[in-house]
Amino acid sequence: MTNAHKQNSMALFRDKCRQHNLSITPQRTVIYQELVKSKNHPDSEDIYRTIKNIFPEISLDTVYRTLAKFAEIGLIHLVEGYGEAKRYDPDTNNHHHFRCSECNKIVDFHDDSFDNLKVPKAFQKSFKVVNVKIILEGTCDECIKKL
Amino acid sequence: MTNAHKQNSMALFRDKCRQHNLSITPQRTVIYQELVKSKNHPDSEDIYRTIKNIFPEISLDTVYRTLAKFAEIGLIHLVEGYGEAKRYDPDTNNHHHFRCSECNKIVDFHDDSFDNLKVPKAFQKSFKVVNVKIILEGTCDECIKKL
DNA sequence: TTTTCTGCAAATCCTTTGCATATCC
DNA sequence: GGATATGCAAAGGATTTGCAGAAAA
C-alpha cells in the first residue's frame, strides 16, 4: 500500500464503518491498522498474533468476525481461501472458470484472449510462473432469475 | 468434457498411474470414472456420496486421498479451495496476485493488459460478471534459490 | 513377497455459533 | 438506554494422520 493510501486509510475505515452502521471499536481499529501495515496478505491468526502484544485481551474470534465483516463491506478484500471444500476438475485442457457467488456453481469457458496473456516481464525475470488462473466472479443465469 | 476426451480418459488414467507408480485399484478407477462423468466440479463429499451407491464399502478418506493424489500427478485439477486459511488484502485498488506454491507467499502486481480483459460475450448475455480474479501460480525468487 | 493402498478411528486445523457481559452511539 | 460488539467456551465442517489388515505388482 502506498503512503498516500496509508494516510487516508484510517479515514476510509471510519467512513466505511459509518456507512454500514458499524461501531468504531478499539478492536476494529487495531485490526484494521495492523492489516494496513501488513505486507503479506495475512490470515486471522497472523493478525491475532501480532495484535496480542499490544492488545492482550483481544480474542481470536473477534479477529475472525471483524475481518469477515470488513470484507463484506468492501473495506478489504479476501484474496485466498473461500471456506469452501476443495473441488476438482477432470478436464486438464486449457480453459477458465466462472463461479457464481450465489450458488457456488462453477462453469467452464474458453477464450483465446484469456489464454494468450503475457506474464509481466518483472515476474519472468525472477519468478517461475507455471500457471495463470483466471476466475470470473458474479451471478449465474439461474440465480439472476431467482433474485 | 467432450466425448473424445471421455473415450480416452480411462487410458489416460491408466497411463498416468503407471507413470507415477500408482496401483490401479477398484477405488481409484471408480473415483476417476465418476469424476469424468461429473459436470459440476465436485468435492470429495460429492464423489463419495455418488460412489457409495455402487461401492458401499468405500471410505471417505480414500476419496480424499485419491483426489489429492490425482491432482498431484496432474490427472485432474484442483479448481477451488486450497486448504489454506482465509487471507485478506487491505489494498482495494485494481491489482492482481502471484502465489508461490512453495512458501504460499502472495505478491501483488499491476498490469494493464490484465486489467483490460474483455469478458466473453457469451457470458455477458446471461451472466453478471462482477469481478475478474487473476492469480499467477509458480515459484517465487526466494524459493527458486532454495531449491 | 514386497510395496502400496484401504478403512477405521482419532486428531487437527480453520472457522462459526450461543450466550452473557461490556461497550458504543 | 437500546443496539451492537466482545470474549469465552463449545461445536462444527473439512481434511489429515497413524495404524493394522488387505490388495496390487
Side-chain angles (χ1 to χ4, degrees):
Chain A
M1 198 169 260
T2 65
N3 282 336
H5 288 135
K6 268 189 198 162
Q7 282 165 11
N8 296 329
S9 62
M10 293 318 291
L12 178 68
F13 163 69
R14 276 187 289 270
D15 287 351
K16 275 279 185 184
C17 284
R18 286 203 193 97
Q19 275 171 37
H20 294 269
N21 293 313
L22 299 188
S23 314
I24 294 169
T25 65
Q27 288 90 338
R28 285 181 177 154
T29 307
V30 175
I31 290 170
Y32 185 68
Q33 280 171 341
E34 281 309 319
L35 201 50
V36 171
K37 274 195 233 160
S38 74
K39 289 275 176 208
N40 39 9
H41 308 80
D43 63 20
S44 299
E45 276 282 344
D46 295 331
I47 295 287
Y48 176 66
R49 218 178 309 116
T50 311
I51 289 179
K52 263 254 147 169
N53 299 317
I54 51 172
F55 200 143
E57 64 275 33
I58 203 165
S59 84
L60 177 57
D61 56 6
T62 295
V63 178
Y64 269 99
R65 273 191 274 232
T66 301
L67 292 176
K69 192 54 110 175
F70 286 172
E72 189 190 319
I73 66 172
L75 178 61
I76 65 176
H77 281 162
L78 177 60
V79 292
E80 261 302 329
Y82 293 86
E84 263 193 53
K86 288 179 182 163
R87 293 171 66 178
Y88 296 92
D89 189 344
D91 185 358
T92 54
N93 298 294
N94 200 359
H95 68 283
H96 307 283
H97 296 107
F98 167 89
R99 191 188 59 213
C100 177
S101 319
E102 298 296 322
C103 67
N104 288 329
K105 182 167 57 189
I106 295 175
V107 181
D108 294 341
F109 73 88
H110 296 261
D111 186 288
D112 285 346
S113 66
F114 284 55
D115 295 343
N116 297 324
L117 279 173
K118 296 273 178 298
V119 173
K121 284 175 191 163
F123 270 88
Q124 288 180 326
K125 275 185 190 162
S126 43
F127 290 62
K128 185 176 145 206
V129 177
V130 172
N131 187 33
V132 179
K133 179 167 273 181
I134 302 179
I135 303 146
L136 306 186
E137 299 178 319
T139 314
C140 75
D141 49 355
E142 290 175 7
C143 286
I144 289 173
K145 284 175 198 161
K146 282 179 204 161
L147 293 178
Chain B
M1 195 169 262
T2 66
N3 282 334
H5 288 135
K6 267 189 198 162
Q7 282 165 14
N8 295 328
S9 63
M10 293 319 291
L12 178 68
F13 163 69
R14 277 187 287 271
D15 288 350
K16 275 279 185 184
C17 284
R18 287 204 191 96
Q19 275 171 35
H20 294 269
N21 294 313
L22 299 188
S23 314
I24 294 168
T25 66
Q27 289 90 337
R28 284 180 178 157
T29 307
V30 176
I31 291 170
Y32 186 67
Q33 279 172 340
E34 281 309 321
L35 202 50
V36 170
K37 272 195 235 162
S38 74
K39 290 274 174 206
N40 40 7
H41 308 80
D43 64 19
S44 300
E45 276 281 345
D46 295 331
I47 294 287
Y48 176 67
R49 218 177 310 115
T50 311
I51 289 179
K52 262 255 147 169
N53 298 317
I54 52 174
F55 200 143
E57 65 274 34
I58 203 163
S59 84
L60 177 57
D61 57 5
T62 296
V63 179
Y64 269 100
R65 273 191 275 233
T66 301
L67 292 176
K69 192 55 109 175
F70 285 172
E72 187 189 319
I73 66 173
L75 177 61
I76 65 177
H77 282 163
L78 177 60
V79 293
E80 260 302 328
Y82 293 87
E84 262 192 56
K86 287 180 182 163
R87 293 170 66 177
Y88 296 92
D89 189 343
D91 185 357
T92 53
N93 298 293
N94 200 359
H95 68 283
H96 307 283
H97 296 108
F98 166 90
R99 191 188 59 213
C100 177
S101 319
E102 298 296 323
C103 67
N104 288 329
K105 182 166 57 188
I106 295 175
V107 181
D108 294 340
F109 73 88
H110 296 261
D111 187 289
D112 286 345
S113 66
F114 284 55
D115 294 342
N116 297 325
L117 279 173
K118 295 275 180 295
V119 173
K121 285 174 191 163
F123 270 87
Q124 287 179 326
K125 275 184 191 164
S126 44
F127 290 61
K128 185 176 144 205
V129 177
V130 173
N131 187 33
V132 179
K133 178 166 273 179
I134 302 178
I135 303 146
L136 306 185
E137 299 180 319
T139 313
C140 75
D141 49 354
E142 291 175 7
C143 287
I144 289 174
K145 283 175 197 160
K146 282 181 202 160
L147 294 178

